[in-house]
Amino acid sequence: DIVMTQSPDSLAVSLGERATINCKSSQSLLYRSNNKNYLAWYQQKPGQPPKLLVYWASTRESGVPDRFTGSGSGTDFTLTISSLQAEDVAVYYCQQYSNTPPWTFGQGTKVEIK
Amino acid sequence: EVQLVESGGVVVRPGGSLRLSCAASGFTFDDYNMHWVRQVPGKRLEWVSLITWSGGGTYYADSVKGRFTISRDNSKNSLYLQMNSLRPDDSALYYCARGGTELALDYWGQGTLVTVSS
């Protein structure tokens, strides 16, 4: 199974500042045949289900603010929130859908306001 | 508007059985694969099972294989999870989620809580 490891486990960022979340997979998520990375990012606010933010590592889901940016390839990925807003307080998860089953998630990164 | 509404979560004794349901609306249900994902509150998400759009393919996490059965009724726009031989470590919030056309899980229900305890 592919293991997904996120860092840090939590971070506190001032409003308007940048937040960066890292995700590392134990195997490459890049398919050479279509040059796509099979990685998604989700946001989970307290008491709510996860919400899809980014798929194919860097494609923003419809309606997601452009302050959220996914990047990376192969085994190393990043979700960047360019200017943190109060409504961005949440736990963020990366997930691979490359070598399935199983679909596997990172342990989550909690983002708070400093 | 896509909606997924889970039901069936209760308190059950170890060794017991339970069937979860997920009612889907707002999209053509039989066009999509469907997943069950669970989460112990405050812990990471754990994928449980997938059923393909036709019901012809089913997949399970090793932790539930042989005990859980996923199924769907496309005529009723409904997804199910039959859970047998339940253990305390099956206690979690169970979400149904749609497998999007881009393969990520693009819509999630609010979840239904399963507690396995004597």
Side-chain angles (χ1 to χ4, degrees):
Chain A
D1 298 356
I2 295 179
V3 177
M4 307 298 291
T5 304
Q6 293 180 229
S7 62
D9 289 335
S10 65
L11 74 161
V13 176
S14 300
L15 288 173
E17 295 300 305
R18 180 187 300 260
T20 301
I21 302 167
N22 301 300
C23 175
K24 191 174 186 68
S25 59
S26 60
Q27 299 175 32
S28 177
L29 305 183
L30 175 64
Y31 271 61
R32 298 288 182 188
S33 58
N34 59 9
N35 201 36
K36 288 185 174 182
N37 287 280
Y38 284 51
L39 180 110
W41 289 97
Y42 300 86
Q43 175 193 64
Q44 187 176 32
K45 296 182 179 180
Q48 295 186 19
K51 173 188 173 184
L52 177 63
L53 294 178
V54 169
Y55 55 92
W56 299 133
S58 60
T59 302
R60 213 176 285 117
E61 176 73 332
S62 175
V64 172
D66 60 7
R67 64 180 180 272
F68 292 93
T69 301
S71 62
S73 185
T75 61
D76 292 281
F77 302 91
T78 300
L79 178 70
T80 302
I81 310 172
S82 60
S83 176
L84 191 74
Q85 305 299 303
E87 61 265 32
D88 301 334
V89 168
V91 179
Y92 293 84
Y93 294 93
C94 61
Q95 178 225 355
Q96 68 83 20
Y97 47 99
S98 168
N99 188 3
T100 59
W103 286 252
T104 50
F105 295 85
Q107 81 275 19
T109 295
K110 186 175 184 179
V111 174
E112 299 173 306
I113 305 295
K114 185 187 292 183
Chain B
E1 180 194 4
V2 172
Q3 284 200 314
L4 299 169
V5 180
E6 302 92 338
S7 61
V10 292
V11 179
V12 62
R13 294 192 183 279
S17 297
L18 198 56
R19 188 172 92 147
L20 305 183
S21 300
C22 172
S25 60
F27 65 102
T28 303
F29 184 66
D30 55 11
D31 278 351
Y32 291 87
N33 298 341
M34 296 294 297
H35 298 256
W36 286 100
V37 177
R38 67 185 181 185
Q39 184 178 37
V40 174
K43 302 298 184 184
R44 86 168 68 193
L45 297 157
E46 180 189 10
W47 174 80
V48 173
S49 185
L50 164 80
I51 188 166
T52 58
W53 61 273
S54 66
T58 57
Y59 305 87
Y60 300 92
D62 286 345
S63 58
V64 307
K65 201 173 293 182
R67 300 187 300 122
F68 290 11
T69 303
I70 191 171
S71 62
R72 64 191 296 162
D73 185 337
N74 286 343
S75 70
K76 295 182 178 179
N77 290 347
S78 292
L79 173 71
Y80 306 102
L81 187 67
Q82 177 67 41
M83 310 164 67
N84 297 331
S85 303
L86 282 161
R87 310 187 300 220
D89 62 359
D90 293 319
S91 298
L93 188 61
Y94 283 73
Y95 295 104
C96 68
R98 192 178 81 169
T101 53
E102 304 291 350
L103 303 185
L105 280 62
D106 62 356
Y107 286 93
W108 298 61
Q110 291 294 320
T112 188
L113 185 62
V114 173
T115 303
V116 184
S117 174
S118 55

mmCIF file with all atom_site columns, all heavy atoms in Angstrom, chain A residues 28-51:
data_model
loop_
_atom_site.group_PDB
_atom_site.id
_atom_site.type_symbol
_atom_site.label_atom_id
_atom_site.label_alt_id
_atom_site.label_comp_id
_atom_site.label_asym_id
_atom_site.label_entity_id
_atom_site.label_seq_id
_atom_site.pdbx_PDB_ins_code
_atom_site.Cartn_x
_atom_site.Cartn_y
_atom_site.Cartn_z
_atom_site.occupancy
_atom_site.B_iso_or_equiv
_atom_site.pdbx_formal_charge
_atom_site.auth_seq_id
_atom_site.auth_comp_id
_atom_site.auth_asym_id
_atom_site.auth_atom_id
_atom_site.pdbx_PDB_model_num
ATOM 1   N N   . SER A 1 28 ? 5.894   6.749  -6.347  1.00 0.00 ? 28 SER A N   1
ATOM 2   C CA  . SER A 1 28 ? 5.541   7.809  -7.277  1.00 0.00 ? 28 SER A CA  1
ATOM 3   C C   . SER A 1 28 ? 4.060   7.737  -7.664  1.00 0.00 ? 28 SER A C   1
ATOM 4   O O   . SER A 1 28 ? 3.523   6.650  -7.896  1.00 0.00 ? 28 SER A O   1
ATOM 5   C CB  . SER A 1 28 ? 6.386   7.719  -8.547  1.00 0.00 ? 28 SER A CB  1
ATOM 6   O OG  . SER A 1 28 ? 5.989   8.717  -9.466  1.00 0.00 ? 28 SER A OG  1
ATOM 7   N N   . LEU A 1 29 ? 3.433   8.906  -7.707  1.00 0.00 ? 29 LEU A N   1
ATOM 8   C CA  . LEU A 1 29 ? 2.034   9.002  -8.104  1.00 0.00 ? 29 LEU A CA  1
ATOM 9   C C   . LEU A 1 29 ? 1.892   9.490  -9.543  1.00 0.00 ? 29 LEU A C   1
ATOM 10  O O   . LEU A 1 29 ? 0.786   9.768  -9.999  1.00 0.00 ? 29 LEU A O   1
ATOM 11  C CB  . LEU A 1 29 ? 1.285   9.953  -7.150  1.00 0.00 ? 29 LEU A CB  1
ATOM 12  C CG  . LEU A 1 29 ? 1.381   9.613  -5.660  1.00 0.00 ? 29 LEU A CG  1
ATOM 13  C CD1 . LEU A 1 29 ? 0.530   10.588 -4.850  1.00 0.00 ? 29 LEU A CD1 1
ATOM 14  C CD2 . LEU A 1 29 ? 0.968   8.176  -5.395  1.00 0.00 ? 29 LEU A CD2 1
ATOM 15  N N   . LEU A 1 30 ? 3.024   9.587  -10.250 1.00 0.00 ? 30 LEU A N   1
ATOM 16  C CA  . LEU A 1 30 ? 3.030   10.093 -11.623 1.00 0.00 ? 30 LEU A CA  1
ATOM 17  C C   . LEU A 1 30 ? 2.895   8.955  -12.616 1.00 0.00 ? 30 LEU A C   1
ATOM 18  O O   . LEU A 1 30 ? 3.696   8.021  -12.607 1.00 0.00 ? 30 LEU A O   1
ATOM 19  C CB  . LEU A 1 30 ? 4.330   10.860 -11.892 1.00 0.00 ? 30 LEU A CB  1
ATOM 20  C CG  . LEU A 1 30 ? 4.525   11.351 -13.330 1.00 0.00 ? 30 LEU A CG  1
ATOM 21  C CD1 . LEU A 1 30 ? 3.451   12.365 -13.699 1.00 0.00 ? 30 LEU A CD1 1
ATOM 22  C CD2 . LEU A 1 30 ? 5.917   11.942 -13.486 1.00 0.00 ? 30 LEU A CD2 1
ATOM 23  N N   . TYR A 1 31 ? 1.876   9.048  -13.438 1.00 0.00 ? 31 TYR A N   1
ATOM 24  C CA  . TYR A 1 31 ? 1.714   8.114  -14.539 1.00 0.00 ? 31 TYR A CA  1
ATOM 25  C C   . TYR A 1 31 ? 2.335   8.737  -15.784 1.00 0.00 ? 31 TYR A C   1
ATOM 26  O O   . TYR A 1 31 ? 1.894   9.771  -16.272 1.00 0.00 ? 31 TYR A O   1
ATOM 27  C CB  . TYR A 1 31 ? 0.226   7.833  -14.785 1.00 0.00 ? 31 TYR A CB  1
ATOM 28  C CG  . TYR A 1 31 ? -0.302  6.678  -13.970 1.00 0.00 ? 31 TYR A CG  1
ATOM 29  C CD1 . TYR A 1 31 ? -0.279  6.725  -12.584 1.00 0.00 ? 31 TYR A CD1 1
ATOM 30  C CD2 . TYR A 1 31 ? -0.815  5.549  -14.573 1.00 0.00 ? 31 TYR A CD2 1
ATOM 31  C CE1 . TYR A 1 31 ? -0.758  5.671  -11.830 1.00 0.00 ? 31 TYR A CE1 1
ATOM 32  C CE2 . TYR A 1 31 ? -1.307  4.485  -13.831 1.00 0.00 ? 31 TYR A CE2 1
ATOM 33  C CZ  . TYR A 1 31 ? -1.267  4.549  -12.455 1.00 0.00 ? 31 TYR A CZ  1
ATOM 34  O OH  . TYR A 1 31 ? -1.736  3.504  -11.703 1.00 0.00 ? 31 TYR A OH  1
ATOM 35  N N   . ARG A 1 32 ? 3.375   8.099  -16.290 1.00 0.00 ? 32 ARG A N   1
ATOM 36  C CA  . ARG A 1 32 ? 4.071   8.618  -17.461 1.00 0.00 ? 32 ARG A CA  1
ATOM 37  C C   . ARG A 1 32 ? 3.171   8.629  -18.687 1.00 0.00 ? 32 ARG A C   1
ATOM 38  O O   . ARG A 1 32 ? 3.323   9.471  -19.569 1.00 0.00 ? 32 ARG A O   1
ATOM 39  C CB  . ARG A 1 32 ? 5.316   7.779  -17.744 1.00 0.00 ? 32 ARG A CB  1
ATOM 40  C CG  . ARG A 1 32 ? 6.341   7.795  -16.622 1.00 0.00 ? 32 ARG A CG  1
ATOM 41  C CD  . ARG A 1 32 ? 7.065   9.113  -16.527 1.00 0.00 ? 32 ARG A CD  1
ATOM 42  N NE  . ARG A 1 32 ? 8.087   9.127  -15.495 1.00 0.00 ? 32 ARG A NE  1
ATOM 43  C CZ  . ARG A 1 32 ? 8.742   10.224 -15.121 1.00 0.00 ? 32 ARG A CZ  1
ATOM 44  N NH1 . ARG A 1 32 ? 8.468   11.384 -15.681 1.00 0.00 ? 32 ARG A NH1 1
ATOM 45  N NH2 . ARG A 1 32 ? 9.650   10.143 -14.166 1.00 0.00 ? 32 ARG A NH2 1
ATOM 46  N N   . SER A 1 33 ? 2.216   7.702  -18.752 1.00 0.00 ? 33 SER A N   1
ATOM 47  C CA  . SER A 1 33 ? 1.387   7.563  -19.946 1.00 0.00 ? 33 SER A CA  1
ATOM 48  C C   . SER A 1 33 ? 0.533   8.801  -20.203 1.00 0.00 ? 33 SER A C   1
ATOM 49  O O   . SER A 1 33 ? 0.258   9.149  -21.355 1.00 0.00 ? 33 SER A O   1
ATOM 50  C CB  . SER A 1 33 ? 0.486   6.334  -19.820 1.00 0.00 ? 33 SER A CB  1
ATOM 51  O OG  . SER A 1 33 ? -0.333  6.448  -18.669 1.00 0.00 ? 33 SER A OG  1
ATOM 52  N N   . ASN A 1 34 ? 0.101   9.468  -19.131 1.00 0.00 ? 34 ASN A N   1
ATOM 53  C CA  . ASN A 1 34 ? -0.704  10.676 -19.290 1.00 0.00 ? 34 ASN A CA  1
ATOM 54  C C   . ASN A 1 34 ? -0.126  11.888 -18.571 1.00 0.00 ? 34 ASN A C   1
ATOM 55  O O   . ASN A 1 34 ? -0.729  12.960 -18.578 1.00 0.00 ? 34 ASN A O   1
ATOM 56  C CB  . ASN A 1 34 ? -2.143  10.429 -18.813 1.00 0.00 ? 34 ASN A CB  1
ATOM 57  C CG  . ASN A 1 34 ? -2.219  10.008 -17.352 1.00 0.00 ? 34 ASN A CG  1
ATOM 58  O OD1 . ASN A 1 34 ? -1.221  10.044 -16.622 1.00 0.00 ? 34 ASN A OD1 1
ATOM 59  N ND2 . ASN A 1 34 ? -3.398  9.603  -16.918 1.00 0.00 ? 34 ASN A ND2 1
ATOM 60  N N   . ASN A 1 35 ? 1.052   11.706 -17.988 1.00 0.00 ? 35 ASN A N   1
ATOM 61  C CA  . ASN A 1 35 ? 1.758   12.789 -17.288 1.00 0.00 ? 35 ASN A CA  1
ATOM 62  C C   . ASN A 1 35 ? 0.890   13.407 -16.186 1.00 0.00 ? 35 ASN A C   1
ATOM 63  O O   . ASN A 1 35 ? 0.916   14.627 -15.960 1.00 0.00 ? 35 ASN A O   1
ATOM 64  C CB  . ASN A 1 35 ? 2.213   13.868 -18.266 1.00 0.00 ? 35 ASN A CB  1
ATOM 65  C CG  . ASN A 1 35 ? 3.347   14.718 -17.702 1.00 0.00 ? 35 ASN A CG  1
ATOM 66  O OD1 . ASN A 1 35 ? 4.217   14.215 -16.989 1.00 0.00 ? 35 ASN A OD1 1
ATOM 67  N ND2 . ASN A 1 35 ? 3.329   16.003 -18.013 1.00 0.00 ? 35 ASN A ND2 1
ATOM 68  N N   . LYS A 1 36 ? 0.113   12.571 -15.501 1.00 0.00 ? 36 LYS A N   1
ATOM 69  C CA  . LYS A 1 36 ? -0.722  13.062 -14.416 1.00 0.00 ? 36 LYS A CA  1
ATOM 70  C C   . LYS A 1 36 ? -0.281  12.465 -13.090 1.00 0.00 ? 36 LYS A C   1
ATOM 71  O O   . LYS A 1 36 ? 0.086   11.289 -13.018 1.00 0.00 ? 36 LYS A O   1
ATOM 72  C CB  . LYS A 1 36 ? -2.196  12.721 -14.664 1.00 0.00 ? 36 LYS A CB  1
ATOM 73  C CG  . LYS A 1 36 ? -2.830  13.545 -15.772 1.00 0.00 ? 36 LYS A CG  1
ATOM 74  C CD  . LYS A 1 36 ? -4.324  13.251 -15.879 1.00 0.00 ? 36 LYS A CD  1
ATOM 75  C CE  . LYS A 1 36 ? -4.972  14.184 -16.888 1.00 0.00 ? 36 LYS A CE  1
ATOM 76  N NZ  . LYS A 1 36 ? -6.422  13.977 -16.999 1.00 0.00 ? 36 LYS A NZ  1
ATOM 77  N N   . ASN A 1 37 ? -0.347  13.289 -12.055 1.00 0.00 ? 37 ASN A N   1
ATOM 78  C CA  . ASN A 1 37 ? -0.096  12.845 -10.702 1.00 0.00 ? 37 ASN A CA  1
ATOM 79  C C   . ASN A 1 37 ? -1.430  12.571 -10.020 1.00 0.00 ? 37 ASN A C   1
ATOM 80  O O   . ASN A 1 37 ? -2.287  13.458 -9.925  1.00 0.00 ? 37 ASN A O   1
ATOM 81  C CB  . ASN A 1 37 ? 0.664   13.913 -9.911  1.00 0.00 ? 37 ASN A CB  1
ATOM 82  C CG  . ASN A 1 37 ? 2.110   14.003 -10.338 1.00 0.00 ? 37 ASN A CG  1
ATOM 83  O OD1 . ASN A 1 37 ? 2.934   13.207 -9.926  1.00 0.00 ? 37 ASN A OD1 1
ATOM 84  N ND2 . ASN A 1 37 ? 2.409   14.982 -11.192 1.00 0.00 ? 37 ASN A ND2 1
ATOM 85  N N   . TYR A 1 38 ? -1.589  11.340 -9.521  1.00 0.00 ? 38 TYR A N   1
ATOM 86  C CA  . TYR A 1 38 ? -2.879  10.899 -8.988  1.00 0.00 ? 38 TYR A CA  1
ATOM 87  C C   . TYR A 1 38 ? -2.977  11.259 -7.505  1.00 0.00 ? 38 TYR A C   1
ATOM 88  O O   . TYR A 1 38 ? -2.981  10.397 -6.619  1.00 0.00 ? 38 TYR A O   1
ATOM 89  C CB  . TYR A 1 38 ? -3.041  9.399  -9.218  1.00 0.00 ? 38 TYR A CB  1
ATOM 90  C CG  . TYR A 1 38 ? -3.370  9.042  -10.650 1.00 0.00 ? 38 TYR A CG  1
ATOM 91  C CD1 . TYR A 1 38 ? -2.609  9.520  -11.716 1.00 0.00 ? 38 TYR A CD1 1
ATOM 92  C CD2 . TYR A 1 38 ? -4.451  8.226  -10.954 1.00 0.00 ? 38 TYR A CD2 1
ATOM 93  C CE1 . TYR A 1 38 ? -2.918  9.193  -13.026 1.00 0.00 ? 38 TYR A CE1 1
ATOM 94  C CE2 . TYR A 1 38 ? -4.768  7.883  -12.254 1.00 0.00 ? 38 TYR A CE2 1
ATOM 95  C CZ  . TYR A 1 38 ? -3.998  8.382  -13.283 1.00 0.00 ? 38 TYR A CZ  1
ATOM 96  O OH  . TYR A 1 38 ? -4.308  8.066  -14.588 1.00 0.00 ? 38 TYR A OH  1
ATOM 97  N N   . LEU A 1 39 ? -3.082  12.566 -7.263  1.00 0.00 ? 39 LEU A N   1
ATOM 98  C CA  . LEU A 1 39 ? -3.112  13.076 -5.907  1.00 0.00 ? 39 LEU A CA  1
ATOM 99  C C   . LEU A 1 39 ? -4.172  14.152 -5.762  1.00 0.00 ? 39 LEU A C   1
ATOM 100 O O   . LEU A 1 39 ? -4.313  15.020 -6.626  1.00 0.00 ? 39 LEU A O   1
ATOM 101 C CB  . LEU A 1 39 ? -1.753  13.677 -5.513  1.00 0.00 ? 39 LEU A CB  1
ATOM 102 C CG  . LEU A 1 39 ? -1.782  14.222 -4.081  1.00 0.00 ? 39 LEU A CG  1
ATOM 103 C CD1 . LEU A 1 39 ? -0.952  13.386 -3.135  1.00 0.00 ? 39 LEU A CD1 1
ATOM 104 C CD2 . LEU A 1 39 ? -1.374  15.671 -4.008  1.00 0.00 ? 39 LEU A CD2 1
ATOM 105 N N   . ALA A 1 40 ? -4.907  14.085 -4.650  1.00 0.00 ? 40 ALA A N   1
ATOM 106 C CA  . ALA A 1 40 ? -5.935  15.078 -4.352  1.00 0.00 ? 40 ALA A CA  1
ATOM 107 C C   . ALA A 1 40 ? -5.692  15.684 -2.975  1.00 0.00 ? 40 ALA A C   1
ATOM 108 O O   . ALA A 1 40 ? -5.041  15.081 -2.114  1.00 0.00 ? 40 ALA A O   1
ATOM 109 C CB  . ALA A 1 40 ? -7.317  14.436 -4.398  1.00 0.00 ? 40 ALA A CB  1
ATOM 110 N N   . TRP A 1 41 ? -6.221  16.872 -2.790  1.00 0.00 ? 41 TRP A N   1
ATOM 111 C CA  . TRP A 1 41 ? -6.220  17.565 -1.492  1.00 0.00 ? 41 TRP A CA  1
ATOM 112 C C   . TRP A 1 41 ? -7.659  17.844 -1.070  1.00 0.00 ? 41 TRP A C   1
ATOM 113 O O   . TRP A 1 41 ? -8.489  18.257 -1.894  1.00 0.00 ? 41 TRP A O   1
ATOM 114 C CB  . TRP A 1 41 ? -5.470  18.893 -1.589  1.00 0.00 ? 41 TRP A CB  1
ATOM 115 C CG  . TRP A 1 41 ? -3.989  18.787 -1.733  1.00 0.00 ? 41 TRP A CG  1
ATOM 116 C CD1 . TRP A 1 41 ? -3.261  18.843 -2.877  1.00 0.00 ? 41 TRP A CD1 1
ATOM 117 C CD2 . TRP A 1 41 ? -3.047  18.638 -0.659  1.00 0.00 ? 41 TRP A CD2 1
ATOM 118 N NE1 . TRP A 1 41 ? -1.913  18.740 -2.593  1.00 0.00 ? 41 TRP A NE1 1
ATOM 119 C CE2 . TRP A 1 41 ? -1.763  18.609 -1.242  1.00 0.00 ? 41 TRP A CE2 1
ATOM 120 C CE3 . TRP A 1 41 ? -3.156  18.533 0.730   1.00 0.00 ? 41 TRP A CE3 1
ATOM 121 C CZ2 . TRP A 1 41 ? -0.592  18.473 -0.488  1.00 0.00 ? 41 TRP A CZ2 1
ATOM 122 C CZ3 . TRP A 1 41 ? -2.000  18.398 1.478   1.00 0.00 ? 41 TRP A CZ3 1
ATOM 123 C CH2 . TRP A 1 41 ? -0.734  18.372 0.875   1.00 0.00 ? 41 TRP A CH2 1
ATOM 124 N N   . TYR A 1 42 ? -7.919  17.643 0.213   1.00 0.00 ? 42 TYR A N   1
ATOM 125 C CA  . TYR A 1 42 ? -9.237  17.883 0.785   1.00 0.00 ? 42 TYR A CA  1
ATOM 126 C C   . TYR A 1 42 ? -9.106  18.810 1.984   1.00 0.00 ? 42 TYR A C   1
ATOM 127 O O   . TYR A 1 42 ? -8.108  18.788 2.705   1.00 0.00 ? 42 TYR A O   1
ATOM 128 C CB  . TYR A 1 42 ? -9.884  16.573 1.256   1.00 0.00 ? 42 TYR A CB  1
ATOM 129 C CG  . TYR A 1 42 ? -10.079 15.559 0.158   1.00 0.00 ? 42 TYR A CG  1
ATOM 130 C CD1 . TYR A 1 42 ? -9.057  14.685 -0.179  1.00 0.00 ? 42 TYR A CD1 1
ATOM 131 C CD2 . TYR A 1 42 ? -11.274 15.480 -0.546  1.00 0.00 ? 42 TYR A CD2 1
ATOM 132 C CE1 . TYR A 1 42 ? -9.213  13.765 -1.199  1.00 0.00 ? 42 TYR A CE1 1
ATOM 133 C CE2 . TYR A 1 42 ? -11.445 14.555 -1.567  1.00 0.00 ? 42 TYR A CE2 1
ATOM 134 C CZ  . TYR A 1 42 ? -10.406 13.707 -1.884  1.00 0.00 ? 42 TYR A CZ  1
ATOM 135 O OH  . TYR A 1 42 ? -10.564 12.793 -2.897  1.00 0.00 ? 42 TYR A OH  1
ATOM 136 N N   . GLN A 1 43 ? -10.166 19.572 2.210   1.00 0.00 ? 43 GLN A N   1
ATOM 137 C CA  . GLN A 1 43 ? -10.276 20.440 3.379   1.00 0.00 ? 43 GLN A CA  1
ATOM 138 C C   . GLN A 1 43 ? -11.423 19.926 4.248   1.00 0.00 ? 43 GLN A C   1
ATOM 139 O O   . GLN A 1 43 ? -12.514 19.664 3.733   1.00 0.00 ? 43 GLN A O   1
ATOM 140 C CB  . GLN A 1 43 ? -10.603 21.862 2.912   1.00 0.00 ? 43 GLN A CB  1
ATOM 141 C CG  . GLN A 1 43 ? -10.864 22.859 4.028   1.00 0.00 ? 43 GLN A CG  1
ATOM 142 C CD  . GLN A 1 43 ? -11.482 24.149 3.463   1.00 0.00 ? 43 GLN A CD  1
ATOM 143 O OE1 . GLN A 1 43 ? -12.578 24.135 2.922   1.00 0.00 ? 43 GLN A OE1 1
ATOM 144 N NE2 . GLN A 1 43 ? -10.763 25.254 3.583   1.00 0.00 ? 43 GLN A NE2 1
ATOM 145 N N   . GLN A 1 44 ? -11.171 19.768 5.536   1.00 0.00 ? 44 GLN A N   1
ATOM 146 C CA  . GLN A 1 44 ? -12.238 19.354 6.452   1.00 0.00 ? 44 GLN A CA  1
ATOM 147 C C   . GLN A 1 44 ? -12.342 20.353 7.592   1.00 0.00 ? 44 GLN A C   1
ATOM 148 O O   . GLN A 1 44 ? -11.453 20.433 8.444   1.00 0.00 ? 44 GLN A O   1
ATOM 149 C CB  . GLN A 1 44 ? -11.992 17.943 6.995   1.00 0.00 ? 44 GLN A CB  1
ATOM 150 C CG  . GLN A 1 44 ? -13.174 17.422 7.806   1.00 0.00 ? 44 GLN A CG  1
ATOM 151 C CD  . GLN A 1 44 ? -12.998 15.986 8.268   1.00 0.00 ? 44 GLN A CD  1
ATOM 152 O OE1 . GLN A 1 44 ? -11.888 15.527 8.525   1.00 0.00 ? 44 GLN A OE1 1
ATOM 153 N NE2 . GLN A 1 44 ? -14.097 15.256 8.374   1.00 0.00 ? 44 GLN A NE2 1
ATOM 154 N N   . LYS A 1 45 ? -13.431 21.085 7.606   1.00 0.00 ? 45 LYS A N   1
ATOM 155 C CA  . LYS A 1 45 ? -13.697 22.020 8.697   1.00 0.00 ? 45 LYS A CA  1
ATOM 156 C C   . LYS A 1 45 ? -14.376 21.282 9.844   1.00 0.00 ? 45 LYS A C   1
ATOM 157 O O   . LYS A 1 45 ? -14.985 20.221 9.622   1.00 0.00 ? 45 LYS A O   1
ATOM 158 C CB  . LYS A 1 45 ? -14.566 23.171 8.194   1.00 0.00 ? 45 LYS A CB  1
ATOM 159 C CG  . LYS A 1 45 ? -13.877 24.023 7.145   1.00 0.00 ? 45 LYS A CG  1
ATOM 160 C CD  . LYS A 1 45 ? -14.739 25.180 6.703   1.00 0.00 ? 45 LYS A CD  1
ATOM 161 C CE  . LYS A 1 45 ? -14.005 26.029 5.682   1.00 0.00 ? 45 LYS A CE  1
ATOM 162 N NZ  . LYS A 1 45 ? -14.803 27.187 5.218   1.00 0.00 ? 45 LYS A NZ  1
ATOM 163 N N   . PRO A 1 46 ? -14.269 21.819 11.060  1.00 0.00 ? 46 PRO A N   1
ATOM 164 C CA  . PRO A 1 46 ? -14.851 21.128 12.229  1.00 0.00 ? 46 PRO A CA  1
ATOM 165 C C   . PRO A 1 46 ? -16.326 20.795 12.029  1.00 0.00 ? 46 PRO A C   1
ATOM 166 O O   . PRO A 1 46 ? -17.113 21.650 11.633  1.00 0.00 ? 46 PRO A O   1
ATOM 167 C CB  . PRO A 1 46 ? -14.647 22.138 13.352  1.00 0.00 ? 46 PRO A CB  1
ATOM 168 C CG  . PRO A 1 46 ? -13.444 22.918 12.936  1.00 0.00 ? 46 PRO A CG  1
ATOM 169 C CD  . PRO A 1 46 ? -13.545 23.044 11.445  1.00 0.00 ? 46 PRO A CD  1
ATOM 170 N N   . GLY A 1 47 ? -16.669 19.528 12.290  1.00 0.00 ? 47 GLY A N   1
ATOM 171 C CA  . GLY A 1 47 ? -18.048 19.093 12.197  1.00 0.00 ? 47 GLY A CA  1
ATOM 172 C C   . GLY A 1 47 ? -18.571 18.916 10.792  1.00 0.00 ? 47 GLY A C   1
ATOM 173 O O   . GLY A 1 47 ? -19.781 18.703 10.606  1.00 0.00 ? 47 GLY A O   1
ATOM 174 N N   . GLN A 1 48 ? -17.688 18.996 9.791   1.00 0.00 ? 48 GLN A N   1
ATOM 175 C CA  . GLN A 1 48 ? -18.120 18.868 8.404   1.00 0.00 ? 48 GLN A CA  1
ATOM 176 C C   . GLN A 1 48 ? -17.393 17.720 7.709   1.00 0.00 ? 48 GLN A C   1
ATOM 177 O O   . GLN A 1 48 ? -16.326 17.297 8.155   1.00 0.00 ? 48 GLN A O   1
ATOM 178 C CB  . GLN A 1 48 ? -17.846 20.172 7.645   1.00 0.00 ? 48 GLN A CB  1
ATOM 179 C CG  . GLN A 1 48 ? -18.647 21.359 8.144   1.00 0.00 ? 48 GLN A CG  1
ATOM 180 C CD  . GLN A 1 48 ? -18.444 22.570 7.261   1.00 0.00 ? 48 GLN A CD  1
ATOM 181 O OE1 . GLN A 1 48 ? -18.005 22.476 6.110   1.00 0.00 ? 48 GLN A OE1 1
ATOM 182 N NE2 . GLN A 1 48 ? -18.783 23.743 7.790   1.00 0.00 ? 48 GLN A NE2 1
ATOM 183 N N   . PRO A 1 49 ? -17.965 17.233 6.607   1.00 0.00 ? 49 PRO A N   1
ATOM 184 C CA  . PRO A 1 49 ? -17.237 16.217 5.832   1.00 0.00 ? 49 PRO A CA  1
ATOM 185 C C   . PRO A 1 49 ? -16.111 16.860 5.043   1.00 0.00 ? 49 PRO A C   1
ATOM 186 O O   . PRO A 1 49 ? -16.072 18.095 4.892   1.00 0.00 ? 49 PRO A O   1
ATOM 187 C CB  . PRO A 1 49 ? -18.323 15.673 4.886   1.00 0.00 ? 49 PRO A CB  1
ATOM 188 C CG  . PRO A 1 49 ? -19.260 16.817 4.705   1.00 0.00 ? 49 PRO A CG  1
ATOM 189 C CD  . PRO A 1 49 ? -19.274 17.544 6.022   1.00 0.00 ? 49 PRO A CD  1
ATOM 190 N N   . PRO A 1 50 ? -15.190 16.058 4.547   1.00 0.00 ? 50 PRO A N   1
ATOM 191 C CA  . PRO A 1 50 ? -14.145 16.609 3.686   1.00 0.00 ? 50 PRO A CA  1
ATOM 192 C C   . PRO A 1 50 ? -14.733 17.239 2.422   1.00 0.00 ? 50 PRO A C   1
ATOM 193 O O   . PRO A 1 50 ? -15.782 16.823 1.927   1.00 0.00 ? 50 PRO A O   1
ATOM 194 C CB  . PRO A 1 50 ? -13.290 15.384 3.343   1.00 0.00 ? 50 PRO A CB  1
ATOM 195 C CG  . PRO A 1 50 ? -13.556 14.414 4.441   1.00 0.00 ? 50 PRO A CG  1
ATOM 196 C CD  . PRO A 1 50 ? -14.997 14.629 4.805   1.00 0.00 ? 50 PRO A CD  1
ATOM 197 N N   . LYS A 1 51 ? -14.003 18.209 1.919   1.00 0.00 ? 51 LYS A N   1
ATOM 198 C CA  . LYS A 1 51 ? -14.375 18.888 0.677   1.00 0.00 ? 51 LYS A CA  1
ATOM 199 C C   . LYS A 1 51 ? -13.184 18.827 -0.266  1.00 0.00 ? 51 LYS A C   1
ATOM 200 O O   . LYS A 1 51 ? -12.051 19.141 0.121   1.00 0.00 ? 51 LYS A O   1
ATOM 201 C CB  . LYS A 1 51 ? -14.716 20.353 0.965   1.00 0.00 ? 51 LYS A CB  1
ATOM 202 C CG  . LYS A 1 51 ? -14.955 21.200 -0.266  1.00 0.00 ? 51 LYS A CG  1
ATOM 203 C CD  . LYS A 1 51 ? -15.082 22.669 0.097   1.00 0.00 ? 51 LYS A CD  1
ATOM 204 C CE  . LYS A 1 51 ? -15.161 23.552 -1.135  1.00 0.00 ? 51 LYS A CE  1
ATOM 205 N NZ  . LYS A 1 51 ? -15.183 24.992 -0.804  1.00 0.00 ? 51 LYS A NZ  1
#
